[in-house]
């Protein structure tokens, strides 16, 4: 937790007056949002777009000025967590189920700062099961098509019920174990009818901040 806090608080230092800021989702993004909330109380003036209903609620409690895409054309800086980061700064995201809104916000952002603890930095993506957001209608067929790509898609459950995203969709966690060509896999998954999006984030990351258990924070250099 301390490593996540260090990364989150370091990233908040990049938020400047007048910026439109994307607020990520998850336990690491939580610390960045908390810090941004503190800075707002001290007079920082920003507008923010949240990537989930939970981050929206947290931001509201902290007095952060929230806006929607009806009010802004682009986002200056987004700070978000990740489940895995590879040496090219490609990501697996969606462990917290917010991958679709996170990707919409990342795609609209001039800069994406990824905040992680050291356990998330990997040589190759795929040990973490890849989350895929799927429309409920006909999900059995979509699941079969996903399995044909060489994974074991498992429907995410909560309290013995299918987990529902903020968009009312299901998540299938797909165990690939190793993803040799993230870009190709991203495209093949998204070509399946019934898939809304998947948790591979290719080419969005501008900076990676890593918090470590020895209390240090480092910024990665890209391969
Ligand atoms: C949510 C995400 C999170 O950023 C990711 O799961 C990392 O979460 P945490 O910071 O709690 O480890 O993609 O959809």
């Amino acid at each position: 937790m301390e490593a996540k806090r260090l990364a989150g608080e370091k990233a908040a230092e990049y938020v400047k007056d007048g910026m439109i800021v994307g607020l990520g989702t998850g336990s690491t993004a939580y610390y960045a949002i908390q810090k941004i909330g503190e800075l707002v109380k001290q007079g920082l003036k920003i507008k923010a777009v949240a990537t989930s209903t939970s981050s929206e609620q947290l931001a509201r409690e902290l007095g952060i000025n929230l806006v929607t895409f009806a009010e802004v054309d682009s986002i200056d800086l987004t700070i978000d967590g990740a489940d895995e980061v590879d040496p090219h700064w490609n990501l697996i995201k969606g462990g917290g189920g917010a991958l679709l809104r996170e990707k919409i916000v990342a795609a609209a952002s001039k800069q994406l700062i990824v905040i992680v603890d050291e356990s998330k930095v990997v040589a190759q993506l795929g040990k973490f099961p890849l989350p895929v957001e799927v429309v409920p209608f006909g999900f059995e067929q979509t699941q079969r098509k996903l399995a044909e790509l060489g994974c074991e898609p498992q429907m995410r459950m909560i309290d013995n019920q299918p987990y529902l995203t903020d968009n009312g969709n299901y998540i299938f966690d797909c165990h690939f174990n190793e993803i040799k060509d993230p870009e190709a896999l991203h495209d093949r998954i998204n070509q399946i009818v019934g898939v809304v999006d998947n948790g591979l984030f290719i080419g969005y990351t501008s900076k990676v901040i890593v918090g470590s258990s020895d209390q240090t924070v480092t910024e990665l250099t890209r391969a």
Side-chain angles (χ1 to χ4, degrees), residues 37-210:
E38 263 176 46
L39 296 171
V40 164
K41 286 203 176 69
Q42 291 163 17
L44 178 76
K45 301 237 170 329
I46 59 157
K47 291 176 182 166
V49 177
T51 54
S52 59
T53 49
S54 59
S55 293
E56 189 181 314
Q57 193 184 330
L58 175 62
R60 194 165 284 127
E61 283 163 15
L62 293 166
I64 299 172
N65 182 13
L66 287 164
V67 290
T68 69
F69 280 107
E71 296 148 274
V72 296
D73 292 332
S74 68
I75 292 169
D76 295 302
L77 167 65
T78 291
I79 301 173
D80 204 351
D83 302 299
E84 284 184 346
V85 184
D86 80 4
H88 307 286
W89 295 1
N90 295 324
L91 314 172
I92 287 184
K93 284 184 54 53
L99 63 115
L100 178 60
R101 294 191 186 192
E102 290 172 334
K103 199 180 279 185
I104 292 171
V105 169
S109 299
K110 292 175 193 150
Q111 278 192 79
L112 172 65
I113 301 184
V114 172
I115 46 175
V116 289
D117 64 51
E118 56 204 330
S119 69
K120 311 284 188 69
V121 180
V122 298
Q124 186 180 52
L125 300 178
K127 284 268 181 302
F128 190 91
L130 177 65
V132 179
E133 183 156 347
V134 167
V135 171
F137 179 83
F139 73 86
E140 299 90 341
Q141 178 64 1
T142 311
Q143 182 176 12
R144 284 191 282 268
K145 293 283 176 196
L146 284 168
E148 283 172 17
L149 298 180
C151 67
E152 289 168 35
Q154 279 178 359
M155 183 186 265
R156 194 176 294 184
M157 304 294 285
I158 183 162
D159 299 331
N160 288 322
Q161 297 293 321
Y163 170 90
L164 283 183
T165 68
D166 284 346
N167 318 300
N169 296 315
Y170 295 157
I171 298 266
F172 281 88
D173 291 303
C174 296
H175 298 249
F176 283 98
N177 203 36
E178 50 176 21
I179 298 175
K180 291 193 177 121
D181 187 343
E183 199 168 348
L185 182 65
H186 172 277
D187 293 352
R188 286 181 75 192
I189 293 175
N190 281 10
Q191 276 164 13
I192 297 172
V193 178
V195 166
V196 184
D197 210 335
N198 71 81
L200 284 166
F201 281 52
I202 315 288
Y204 293 120
T205 309
S206 330
K207 196 183 281 295
V208 181
I209 298 179
V210 185

